[in-house]
Amino acid sequence: MFCFSSKFLWYCFIVLLCSGFLSAHLIGLSSVSGLSLEETMSRRMSSRSFTSQSLSDKQLLDVLWAAYGYVGNLRTVPKIGYGYPLVILSINSTGSYKYDPENNVLSVNDLTINKEIISNDFGSNTWVNDASVILVLVWDQSVSNNQYFASAQAGCVVQNVYLAAASLNLGTCCVDAIDFQALRNHLKLSANMTPLLVMPLSYPRGSYSQASPNYEIMTGNLPRVQYSSLSFEQALRNIPTAQQSTVDSLTSLQLSQLLWASYGYTSVTFDSSHHRTTPSALGIYPLVIFVSNATGLYRYEPDTHSVLEILQMDKRSAIADALSGQQWAANASTLLLITYDSSFNNGNTGDGGNLDHANIEIDAGAVIQQIVLEASALNLRSDVLYQGLENWNGAQAAVIRNTIGASSSIVPLYVISVGIANHATIPEISTVPFLFLMIATLAVIVSVKILRKRIFRGLLHY
Ligand SMILES: Cc1cc2nc3c(=O)[nH]c(=O)nc-3n(C[C@H](O)[C@H](O)[C@H](O)COP(=O)(O)O)c2cc1C
């Protein structure tokens, strides 16, 4: 018979330690159906009518992890501006709870604050109260004081909640037509904490119908969108791997996938229109996506799923320069520019031209998240560039507008670089999860080798 030496047990211990570390970072949406990322994106829509069935704790945590959790030491949403300034409160009939992304748990916030207490804070959106859980996204100004960046990141979170809900057959809706002052008071928030929006989360009354990208309108010059092999959950988990990848150029299919994900139409109809991949305040969809690559500058036309050539010039370097001289981004295969068209919908952009453009930032954040997810599914690195764009329609936004020859109604908001070239110098990203993965793999290999040796010896002794 063979026996295990203390050396071997040490190896086992290392393997267990490493796999324990990894599994701690692999918690999340385990119960998601086998939908591909693009199918899940196609299902996304706002639900405003809910059954009385309660959510399980696991479902809630799964959604919260997808919304704002960790994948290794990266987050499920990109950094926009300084850090991660959002706090998610989850409120049900028993009290209010705070999401702790580091440990992926909910801890008690205040049991005296429950759904009943905040039930009059949603104005005409009284249906919010029918949901079993109400998520409140709160901006902590002590972490980052730029409301636009916080709102854009909130948009990323919003998109993840929509997609997680679609994955789990749950319903949700981004709601910001609420009485913020009353909500702030009821939540007993300190001066540096500002509620940005709420999202009811519950079982919807209607069921999700069969959904796909809207192939009927795909008559333009971009290839037909395909389903990738990753689900929404897998695309979230693949973000760290995708961030390590380099590629010299994008195929037209990759560009097609990215653009459809950013602002395309789905097959699901409401009234006489179609849903899009992202939500939009008042359903206005005032954003315009531009593409800058080596061959020129193009505008995405969601109605036909095509790109329209604007300039036959490579503007990547000039755009990167306007973004506080981040020349590394000029090495990206493609820059996607998210802009706001203030003349859209005959000038009715829903914000009345007010200075507070938070809604538009949330719309933009949802688009950013879609691009990050689709890039991840395509194993492409994506980076959100915001430096230089701290102020609404500031000086650098004007430089970008002039660079792309756009009219004065176009307000550049964010640029996303996709597919960094092999030779490029890119901003550093942490390698910690990969080190752990390497150590774990090494330990497994060594252990297997020793085990084989032991078994062999054991057989000889037998
Ligand atoms: C920033 C933002 C704020 C919104 N506020 C509300 C709201 O207060 N009430 C509401 O019913 N829907 C709200 N919505 C949802 C939009 O009305 C919805 O996304 C849009 O009509 C498109 O419909 P769909 O999401 O079902 O595709 C909001 C969406 C966003 C992105």
Side-chain angles (χ1 to χ4, degrees), residues 29-49:
L29 280 160
S30 50
S31 54
V32 172
S33 55
L35 296 170
S36 73
L37 174 66
E38 293 75 13
E39 278 173 294
T40 309
M41 289 173 169
S42 302
R43 281 178 142 213
R44 190 220 61 82
M45 63 165 128
S46 301
S47 300
R48 298 182 181 84
S49 174

Side-chain angles (χ1 to χ4, degrees), residues 252-272:
S252 55
L253 179 60
Q254 287 172 326
L255 183 63
S256 168
Q257 303 279 126
L258 289 161
L259 289 173
W260 171 79
S262 73
Y263 225 38
Y265 282 95
T266 75
S267 65
V268 184
T269 51
F270 67 103
D271 299 334
S272 56

